[in-house]
Amino acid sequence: MSSTEAEDKIRNLLDKATYQRLEKDLSAVKNDISALTDQITDALNAFTGEAGKQARRGIKQARSRADSVMSDVSERGNAAYDAAWDQASSLEESMEDVISQRPLAAVGLALGLGILIGAAWRR
């Protein structure tokens, strides 16, 4: 049964005014659905646009925080390296002073440590 046959049968069953009112209501429903579809599309586009903006803003903030943390870690690492270098230099100077003041004691100490390390190494 084609749609025109169905329409003819419906027209015969209903009076002309009812059919026209039904056709008008159906057209209004179609227009409402079309308008609602447009509104939903606009709302989704606005939502995805806003979500994208928020995501980009979050990425920028995360990148900024990561850069800040890396900068802080780098500064602390440099400070620790400088402090270790200063301690090593100070220890070297102290050792030089001790060796120059007591050369025989320093040689004896080095010889004793060498013997201890050698004995531990053999076991």
Side-chain angles (χ1 to χ4, degrees), residues 4-110:
T4 56
E5 290 176 15
E7 288 175 1
D8 289 340
K9 286 184 180 183
I10 292 174
R11 279 187 201 146
N12 290 337
L13 292 174
L14 302 172
D15 63 357
K16 190 173 184 175
T18 305
Y19 179 77
Q20 287 176 346
R21 197 173 50 235
L22 184 62
E23 196 172 51
K24 182 180 169 186
D25 289 346
L26 184 61
S27 178
V29 168
K30 286 180 182 179
N31 289 338
D32 289 346
I33 289 173
S34 176
L36 183 59
T37 302
D38 291 342
Q39 288 176 352
I40 289 172
T41 301
D42 291 344
L44 286 175
N45 287 337
F47 176 74
T48 56
E50 185 62 30
K53 287 178 187 177
Q54 287 179 353
R56 284 189 291 277
R57 194 175 313 126
I59 289 170
K60 285 180 183 177
Q61 288 175 348
R63 185 177 292 144
S64 174
R65 288 180 188 147
D67 289 344
S68 175
V69 167
M70 289 302 293
S71 175
D72 188 39
V73 167
S74 176
E75 288 176 13
R76 288 182 183 185
N78 286 337
Y81 175 78
D82 290 342
W85 185 260
D86 290 343
Q87 287 295 324
S89 296
S90 175
L91 180 63
E92 179 185 4
E93 290 173 6
S94 297
M95 292 295 288
E96 286 177 0
D97 289 344
V98 168
I99 291 171
S100 65
Q101 289 175 1
R102 297 189 181 126
L104 290 178
V107 170
L109 179 64

